[in-house]
Amino acid sequence: AWVVQECPNLVLGFSNLALTRRECIKSTPNQVLMALFMVHYLNRTLAYPLMMRGSKPTPFLVFLLAFLFCLFNGHLQMRYLAYVHPYDPSWFADPRFLLGVGTFFLGLFINLDSDRILRDLRKPGESGYKVPKGGAFRLVSGANFFGEMVEWSGFAVAQWSVPGAAFASFTFLNLSPRGWHHHQWYKARFKDYPAARRAVIPFVW
């Protein structure tokens, strides 16, 4: 279910690349932004599910909504970058672009590191629940969600467009409630849960 729901990003990404405008594919900022989008979804669609341990069945409605979002957003982001908006080469040195790309990679690192910590919580043969420790989990319960929100916020800044801002906004609205519910679950289950740890935004919420 995970691979199917995420695959529209790759299918639409590659199809838009095949139909790209010359001005877009020759623009270095466009190339970088398209590469960031595709690298994230190559990991999420192909690598991440292969490394998952003990995954649970996905409810059909959740799967359907995720699939439809990926279908819409994959087309929106890659169509904009591959066909609609060729960036001027000078955008590559713009502080907004540099800050956004740097923030994206920070978020990507947090996301990947948090996924690794969650995978390694239980050794083979172990069962039960444990409190994740280390990395961004020192600060928030939903460290993997926080990392992804940082990623797409950086992407939105680097892109400096309505599609990028819409993507970052949806990511926050979708993932922050999930992080908050995880936070409440941990606090209810583990009486010694770290009191200073927040839900999804370090030191704030």
Side-chain angles (χ1 to χ4, degrees):
W2 183 274
V3 173
V4 174
Q5 75 182 33
E6 298 287 325
C7 73
N9 294 294
L10 294 184
V11 173
L12 291 167
F14 285 121
S15 62
N16 275 290
L17 281 172
L19 301 172
T20 186
R21 283 173 59 191
R22 181 180 176 84
E23 297 89 343
C24 290
I25 200 63
K26 289 182 66 177
S27 167
T28 301
N30 286 68
Q31 293 171 4
V32 171
L33 290 167
M34 288 188 283
L36 296 182
F37 185 86
M38 295 300 288
V39 163
H40 174 89
Y41 280 108
L42 280 167
N43 172 64
R44 297 304 282 180
T45 307
L46 303 178
Y48 175 74
L50 291 176
M51 295 185 287
M52 292 171 68
R53 297 177 185 173
S55 57
K56 299 177 182 178
T58 302
F60 179 74
L61 182 59
V62 173
F63 160 77
L64 180 62
L65 292 175
F67 178 84
L68 291 175
F69 170 74
C70 290
L71 194 67
F72 172 78
N73 188 62
H75 176 72
L76 177 65
Q77 302 303 323
M78 288 300 293
R79 184 70 172 173
Y80 182 81
L81 294 171
Y83 191 82
V84 174
H85 185 76
Y87 285 87
D88 188 273
S90 63
W91 184 249
F92 187 73
D94 190 284
R96 291 165 291 182
F97 181 81
L98 298 175
L99 174 64
V101 171
T103 302
F104 177 92
F105 279 112
L106 173 62
L108 180 63
F109 172 79
I110 293 171
N111 187 241
L112 294 175
D113 187 56
S114 301
D115 285 343
R116 176 191 61 78
I117 291 171
L118 290 173
R119 282 195 308 270
D120 293 344
L121 274 179
R122 289 193 294 265
K123 294 180 174 62
E126 285 187 332
S127 59
Y129 295 97
K130 296 182 179 181
V131 176
K133 299 177 181 178
F137 284 108
R138 295 186 183 95
L139 303 174
V140 292
S141 299
N144 48 336
F145 302 136
F146 170 64
E148 191 151 350
M149 289 189 289
V150 171
E151 263 189 89
W152 298 121
S153 295
F155 186 78
V157 172
Q159 199 181 106
W160 208 254
S161 69
V162 172
F167 188 11
S169 299
F170 180 86
T171 300
F172 176 80
L173 293 173
N174 177 41
L175 297 184
S176 58
R178 292 169 61 187
W180 183 83
H181 283 296
H182 282 213
H183 184 63
Q184 299 305 312
W185 185 88
Y186 279 123
K187 289 201 301 180
R189 189 174 186 92
F190 299 98
K191 301 306 178 185
D192 58 345
Y193 195 69
R197 191 178 294 188
R198 297 292 183 254
V200 283
I201 301 177
F203 312 111
V204 178
W205 179 57

